[in-house]
Amino acid sequence: MAPDTDRAAEILERLSAQHLDARVELDYETPLQLLIATILSAQSTDKRVNLVTPELFAKYPDAQSYADADLSELEEDVHATGFFRQKAKRLIGCGKLLLKHHDGEVPTGMEDLTALPGVGRKTANVIRAVAFGLPGIAVDTHCKRVSHRLGLAATTDPLQVENRLQELYPESSWADISRLFIWHGRYLCKARKPECRRCSLADICPWLQAQGPETVVMR
């Protein structure tokens, strides 16, 4: 392998060893439930979404139920996740489009997924990788930050980060990249107070070397 891919492989190996419990933290049982939960997680937390979804999934078990939902009632049902008016409209829109174009089922194609209200490339990649086991790298704010700090991507543009990670890693690793980079960014490589002393990558992190240890929270 080339030096860049050698280093990328080492990063993935270390993160895999450090984060044995890394996982998608949204609770779901079906692709539709994962789709709904991921849409609700925008500008919210997985924990807050998980408090709402048990009753929501029981009340709205399929695409038809979302398509037929009363807007004001659905707004109340998802109120606790924030931005509830916009999210309720998106859920109803998703239900209608799923019925119209996909027989009520969640599609697997990137173009089909991103045509749904509230679904961008990140959400689409989550659905593809987690629900269907298809190749996809979900670049959220955590994945973007980790990739940039580790010198894997020179840009912070999500699409360019996704493309760069796809160049560095084989398709078989893409789902792991999403899971591990997001987990690492959420719990260690935080935006404001990264916990570098606990990080298995501290000795090969160019961002840490450039910042200096005095600027980093060491726990």
Side-chain angles (χ1 to χ4, degrees):
M1 290 187 292
D4 283 352
T5 53
D6 284 343
R7 183 171 179 277
E10 181 177 358
I11 287 171
L12 181 58
E13 182 178 355
R14 292 194 191 189
L15 289 180
S16 297
Q18 182 167 24
H19 300 302
L20 297 175
D21 54 350
R23 65 191 184 280
V24 173
E25 294 186 282
L26 291 170
D27 294 336
Y28 74 98
E29 293 182 356
T30 68
L32 177 62
Q33 289 182 357
L34 180 60
L35 171 63
I36 298 303
T38 307
I39 291 172
L40 292 178
S41 70
Q43 305 298 316
S44 188
T45 65
D46 291 354
K47 291 182 180 179
R48 184 173 295 276
V49 172
N50 288 339
L51 293 175
V52 170
T53 50
E55 291 186 11
L56 187 74
F57 293 160
K59 186 174 182 179
Y60 305 94
D62 51 30
Q64 186 73 61
S65 58
Y66 286 103
D68 295 340
D70 176 78
L71 178 59
S72 60
E73 187 174 350
L74 185 54
E75 286 177 351
E76 182 62 28
D77 292 333
V78 301
H79 188 279
T81 67
F83 298 91
F84 58 94
R85 292 188 178 89
Q86 183 182 56
K87 290 178 180 179
K89 290 179 181 178
R90 287 175 174 175
L91 297 188
I92 292 174
C94 274
K96 290 180 177 179
L97 285 182
L98 290 176
L99 288 172
K100 182 177 181 180
H101 298 297
H102 307 289
D103 296 322
E105 300 297 323
V106 178
T108 60
M110 176 62 72
E111 291 185 4
D112 289 332
L113 285 166
T114 53
L116 298 173
V119 179
R121 284 192 66 86
K122 182 200 76 173
T123 296
N125 275 320
V126 169
I127 302 303
R128 283 170 53 82
V130 177
F132 299 111
L134 297 172
I137 299 177
V139 179
D140 72 346
T141 183
H142 302 299
C143 180
K144 180 174 64 175
R145 180 172 63 255
V146 169
S147 300
H148 186 64
R149 284 180 175 176
L150 290 173
L152 295 175
T155 177
T156 57
D157 176 77
L159 180 57
Q160 293 182 35
V161 171
E162 180 183 342
N163 291 336
R164 179 55 178 159
L165 292 176
Q166 288 177 348
E167 294 173 356
L168 290 171
Y169 292 98
E171 282 190 3
S172 59
S173 297
W174 289 0
D176 290 334
I177 292 299
S178 300
R179 177 174 54 86
L180 290 166
F181 279 40
I182 291 172
W183 190 273
H184 190 66
R186 180 174 292 167
Y187 293 109
L188 286 186
C189 193
K190 304 172 185 178
R192 295 185 179 180
K193 295 182 179 180
E195 299 181 25
C196 298
R197 181 167 290 176
R198 296 174 53 203
C199 178
S200 62
L201 302 170
D203 62 312
I204 58 171
C205 177
W207 180 85
L208 176 58
Q209 295 169 7
Q211 296 296 311
E214 68 278 0
T215 66
V216 178
V217 173
M218 308 292 273
R219 295 180 180 175

